[in-house]
Amino acid sequence: MKNVTLDTAGADSTIITVQQHILAEQRKHSPHASGSFSWLLSGITLATKMTEARVRRAGLLDVLGTAGNVNVQGEVQQKLDVYADRALVHCLGVRENVAIIASEESEEAITFDGRSGHGKYVVLFDPLDGSSNLDVNVSVGTIFSVLRLPEGFTSEDNPTKAVLQPGTEQLAAGYVVYGSSTIMVYTTGHGVHGFTLDPSIGAYVLSHENIRMPEQGTYYSSNDAYWDTFPAEYREYIAHLRSGATGRRYALRYIGSLVADFHRTLLRGGVFLYPPTDKNPEGKLRLLYEANPVAMIAEQAGGFASSGSGRIVDVPPTEIHQRTPLIVGGKEEMELFEEYCKPAHSCTPACV
Ligand code: AHM
Ligand code: MG
């Protein structure tokens, strides 16, 4: 046997990758953990790197496509949201600890045949959020939520039952933004951490440790084209923000990709809203794989997320693709929102 002394001279020993970080977090908070959770998260990071590589070549793939090499069935050039979905299904499918997944791209929950044993995790995701923006080079992303398979769940049970858990049960949540750089943000309930993909080494490297959402920002973010159809209390709330009555006159920023609009809100503060509208009276965003993960991250970073009638993570899910209004932001904006929206629920931002 040969014993080698590590020589880090010349190597950048200050780099912390997302894998190192997850393992260190586990050692700190769950010293008896088996490491299976970090194996699961490595499946997600791998799938997002596959997707990012495609997203970065999206324009080129279109050019190649017009050269005549793509058949009309789209068999050669897959739509990127289908590709992102398949990457996640594949990378999570080969991890035996994943029992069930649910995706925006699939009607039903998905289980895996031929497994030797039971997995213990349920993973929900939106593989490519905001994909309608891809053609015009706007940031898109992947959002995910991790739950534990409920106690006593057997293969005879309907997998949908395992998916329909409130956001309070999330073990972890995160997202990746494929933007001017690619960043992964995640929480396991011990703060929120961000990792920027270093393309030269193909690794997510710690760039934003313990992110805190500013208590007050200067932006609100909503699709004001629907203004006339927002409920009155939402219009009054936004008018208050615009008026300068809070001591700040809020400006509007709206990208139209939740993941990008939320990422800005997380780092810069302010509030993102997708209220009920005429077109989407229940709200547009999906509870299980958009609103819940975003809400867990916001709360972990000192913000708050509401459905308009209480804390998002308390909303009892009834179906996989359930929609919800979503209002998420910093402490000051959310306290003001609750004054306008008088929640039926007793929880206010102050109780987080
Ligand atoms: P998608 O999951 O079909 O991409 O739709 C969700 C997207 C969100 O990313 C974004 O916040 C919202 O739809 C934008 O909707 P609108 O165009 O109505 O403003
Ligand atoms: Mg989406």
Side-chain angles (χ1 to χ4, degrees):
M1 191 186 347
K2 190 176 168 193
N3 190 26
V4 175
T5 305
L6 283 175
D7 176 8
T8 51
D12 192 345
S13 54
T14 58
I15 279 181
I16 298 173
T17 66
V18 69
Q19 288 307 320
Q20 283 173 291
H21 196 268
I22 290 165
L23 288 169
E25 287 277 296
Q26 278 196 329
R27 274 196 296 274
K28 192 154 74 181
H29 302 291
S30 329
H32 303 297
S34 61
S36 100
F37 187 66
S38 63
W39 176 232
L40 152 70
L41 283 180
S42 75
I44 297 176
T45 56
L46 176 58
T48 62
K49 283 190 239 177
M50 292 163 67
T51 298
E52 112 94 25
R54 282 286 177 114
V55 167
R56 295 287 168 231
R57 296 182 65 229
L60 290 172
L61 293 174
D62 284 343
V63 171
L64 293 175
T66 54
N69 290 331
V70 176
N71 77 18
V72 285
Q73 310 299 323
E75 283 163 350
V76 175
Q77 183 192 0
Q78 288 172 358
K79 282 184 70 183
L80 266 168
D81 41 10
V82 175
Y83 180 84
D85 183 56
R86 289 194 184 155
L88 275 160
V89 173
H90 174 78
C91 292
L92 293 172
V94 296
R95 275 151 176 80
E96 300 236 331
N97 56 3
V98 177
I100 297 168
I101 60 178
S103 163
E104 178 174 338
E105 295 292 326
S106 306
E107 201 57 36
E108 310 279 344
I110 298 168
T111 51
F112 303 98
D113 285 339
R115 292 283 184 77
S116 50
H118 239 333
K120 57 179 179 177
Y121 297 114
V122 178
V123 186
L124 322 180
F125 50 83
D126 179 352
L128 205 55
D129 178 58
S131 56
S132 62
N133 291 315
L134 265 172
D135 293 350
V136 288
N137 287 57
V138 167
S139 300
V140 293
T142 297
I143 313 175
F144 62 90
S145 163
V146 182
L147 300 160
R148 191 182 300 287
L149 192 71
E151 202 70 38
F153 189 90
T154 72
S155 48
E156 308 301 309
D157 292 323
N158 182 347
T160 302
K161 225 173 84 187
V163 168
L164 299 182
Q165 301 185 49
T168 45
E169 297 301 314
Q170 292 176 106
L171 298 175
Y175 61 82
V176 174
V177 186
Y178 312 107
S180 48
S181 61
T182 295
I183 183 164
M184 164 174 265
V185 172
Y186 88 95
T187 181
T188 54
H190 303 285
V192 177
H193 311 288
F195 301 79
T196 301
L197 184 65
D198 181 342
S200 64
I201 56 171
Y204 285 106
V205 174
L206 183 62
S207 53
H208 298 67
E209 192 161 30
N210 204 15
I211 298 171
R212 303 298 297 166
M213 202 183 260
E215 291 197 357
Q216 190 179 9
T218 51
Y219 299 136
Y220 78 96
S221 182
S222 71
N223 189 338
D224 273 11
Y226 304 130
W227 170 266
D228 293 348
T229 81
F230 290 168
E233 57 271 32
Y234 286 81
R235 293 200 303 265
E236 288 158 16
Y237 170 65
I238 294 172
H240 188 139
L241 294 176
R242 287 172 177 174
S243 72
T246 60
R248 294 184 184 187
R249 193 177 287 276
Y250 282 69
L252 170 65
R253 292 284 185 279
Y254 190 71
I255 297 168
S257 286
L258 168 66
V259 76
D261 278 313
F262 176 70
H263 186 61
R264 182 198 55 251
T265 307
L266 181 69
L267 296 185
R268 293 270 181 272
V271 60
F272 169 88
L273 311 90
Y274 207 112
T277 60
D278 269 6
K279 198 170 150 198
N280 290 294
E282 307 299 323
K284 179 180 180 188
L285 301 173
R286 313 293 184 143
L287 174 65
L288 290 176
Y289 45 79
E290 293 182 323
N292 271 342
V294 155
M296 182 179 183
I297 293 167
E299 290 190 2
Q300 281 292 316
F304 186 73
S306 168
S307 65
S309 51
R311 204 175 162 213
I312 277 281
V313 290
D314 285 334
V315 175
T318 53
E319 49 181 297
I320 296 182
H321 301 291
Q322 181 172 340
R323 295 177 193 270
T324 177
L326 173 66
I327 306 90
V328 57
K331 186 171 173 291
E332 299 277 331
E333 287 86 4
M334 294 308 293
E335 278 176 359
L336 183 66
F337 175 75
E338 301 279 296
E339 279 173 34
Y340 277 88
C341 242
K342 306 262 181 329
H345 194 282
S346 62
C347 185
T348 67
C351 74
V352 177

